[in-house]
Amino acid sequence: MRTLLPALLLTAAAGLAQAQDASLLAGAMRVDKDHSDSSFAVNVGYTQRLTPYFALSADYLNEGHPKLHHRDGLGAQVWLHTRVPERGWSFGAGAGPYYYFDTTTGNGSLSDYRNEHGWGELMSVDAIYHLHSHAYVEARLSHVHGITDRDTTQLMVGMGYELGTVPNWERKENADKGDETIMLLGGRSIVNSFKSEKATASGIEYRRTVNPNAEWSVILMNEGKVGVAERIGVSTQVWLLRPFTERTVLEMGLGAYGVRDQLDRTNAEAERVTRLTGLASIGMRYRINDTWRAQLTWNRVITDYHRDSDVFLLGAGVVF
């Protein structure tokens, strides 16, 4: 249930939000226990301002590739900040839960990788210079805490944009209650290993709109063939929606994914088994017209048997 927290916080805030921001930051990361162990860091953030001094954010943080670790995660932060001027500086501090995905090793060999998951805390301070164009420049210092021997600190800079609020009539244009959509999807799957094996992925998705803020979906997805192993499955997800513009919607999905998989990925004759895994997704949808939609989605498959993957899907569909 804790994996629902970032999405639920933002959904609860949607009706109260004064403004919404999107930002992209990049910089450097270091492992606190070993300052010589450093790498890059990237943060993609979405923020809802609720009052002149209070905000909520959802963040995707990639902590880079330090020694024998490839770690990223999803976080939700509660922010206290100074009043945001039309032009000039504002400052803030945030903290909240962080769910991480770490590709590491079992015996020190890169071929013996493991996908570990767990909870930590994400804490940040930032300084933002706001421009007249609604764009801003941000510098952020973040710290990931509570992960045994692997706490990290990131210093990042980047740009953001103040998107403002979306009127209710525009929200309903993107998704009316009872709308049904069929999407054909294609893209790329990437195994969360140190080799990052890739394959061609495809899918067909059915969606039904519950209200302008929520949808439900079923998708048949083929993650393609990596070596001798090929994984295919069916997922069901609940999607929380937040329109950015009259035609563009941000989507966050969470659900279950039943897969048919091959545990021994080196033997073509190995037995195939059925497993139930988790699926977390972030996407963007564009309303081309009243009938057609375009969609881009990143899906993270969360397994308990060290077979996590990222599936990037692009497609188009019809509303009926």
Side-chain angles (χ1 to χ4, degrees):
M1 291 298 293
R2 291 181 69 183
T3 55
L4 290 170
L5 187 56
L8 291 178
L9 283 174
L10 292 179
T11 301
L16 302 173
Q18 293 187 344
Q20 49 187 323
D21 302 347
S23 61
L24 175 62
L25 310 173
M29 180 281 304
R30 74 176 188 187
V31 178
D32 293 350
K33 190 174 181 180
D34 180 4
H35 291 180
S36 66
D37 192 2
S38 61
S39 186
F40 66 89
V42 176
N43 190 100
V44 180
Y46 170 75
T47 301
Q48 293 264 16
R49 285 191 238 146
L50 303 183
T51 76
Y53 305 101
F54 178 70
L56 298 175
S57 76
D59 297 276
Y60 167 74
L61 176 62
N62 190 316
E63 300 178 62
H65 298 165
K67 299 171 186 175
L68 300 182
H69 289 270
H70 291 182
R71 192 169 75 192
D72 61 357
L74 299 171
Q77 296 185 84
V78 178
W79 289 85
L80 294 176
H81 55 78
T82 60
R83 184 178 289 273
V84 176
E86 182 178 347
R87 183 182 180 94
W89 289 97
S90 70
F91 304 90
Y98 178 67
Y99 188 75
Y100 68 85
F101 310 88
D102 191 9
T103 299
T104 184
T105 65
N107 60 11
S109 168
L110 295 183
S111 61
D112 183 32
Y113 72 89
R114 298 286 186 268
N115 296 137
E116 297 181 353
H117 317 121
W119 287 95
E121 294 84 43
L122 178 62
M123 297 168 280
S124 305
V125 293
D126 67 8
I128 297 176
Y129 187 80
H130 302 266
L131 307 171
H132 277 310
S133 62
H134 296 289
Y136 59 83
V137 180
E138 179 178 358
R140 181 182 297 190
L141 181 67
S142 293
H143 178 66
V144 175
H145 176 67
I147 302 171
T148 305
D149 295 329
R150 301 302 302 177
D151 287 6
T152 62
T153 300
Q154 303 83 31
L155 178 62
M156 299 170 287
V157 296
M159 298 288 294
Y161 192 81
E162 300 168 6
L163 298 164
T165 56
V166 177
N168 284 334
W169 70 268
E170 289 188 358
R171 297 161 65 89
K172 292 178 180 178
E173 285 289 327
N174 287 299
D176 289 327
K177 183 178 179 180
D179 278 353
E180 296 177 289
T181 306
I182 294 291
M183 284 266 182
L184 293 178
L185 305 163
R188 203 73 165 162
S189 64
I190 304 173
V191 178
N192 288 179
S193 70
F194 287 104
K195 294 182 179 179
S196 298
E197 300 94 331
K198 301 174 179 63
T200 299
S202 60
I204 181 169
E205 181 180 37
Y206 167 81
R207 287 213 194 189
R208 182 175 179 85
T209 300
V210 179
N211 59 49
N213 296 315
E215 292 181 345
W216 168 77
S217 75
V218 175
I219 179 172
L220 172 64
M221 186 162 64
N222 187 335
E223 297 183 47
K225 192 171 185 179
V226 176
V228 299
E230 184 175 13
R231 185 161 68 186
I232 188 170
V234 176
S235 71
T236 180
Q237 288 180 281
V238 174
W239 295 84
L240 303 176
L241 312 179
R242 183 57 176 157
F244 274 164
T245 69
E246 179 183 350
R247 293 181 179 272
T248 308
V249 178
L250 174 71
E251 308 173 323
M252 301 176 67
L254 292 165
Y257 181 35
V259 299
R260 188 68 175 168
D261 203 357
Q262 187 173 318
L263 298 188
D264 185 348
R265 297 185 294 278
T266 64
N267 180 7
E269 304 302 321
E271 180 184 2
R272 294 183 180 271
V273 297
T274 300
R275 304 292 289 256
L276 185 64
T277 70
L279 188 66
S281 306
I282 298 174
M284 187 76 74
R285 189 174 65 209
Y286 181 75
R287 181 168 59 88
I288 300 171
N289 54 41
D290 289 343
T291 302
W292 290 94
R293 303 288 188 270
Q295 182 174 294
L296 175 64
T297 309
W298 163 59
N299 305 278
R300 171 61 58 84
V301 180
I302 309 167
T303 70
D304 60 359
Y305 60 101
H306 308 296
R307 184 80 156 84
D308 290 9
S309 65
D310 291 310
V311 185
F312 297 89
L313 294 173
L314 176 65
V318 60
V319 178
F320 58 95

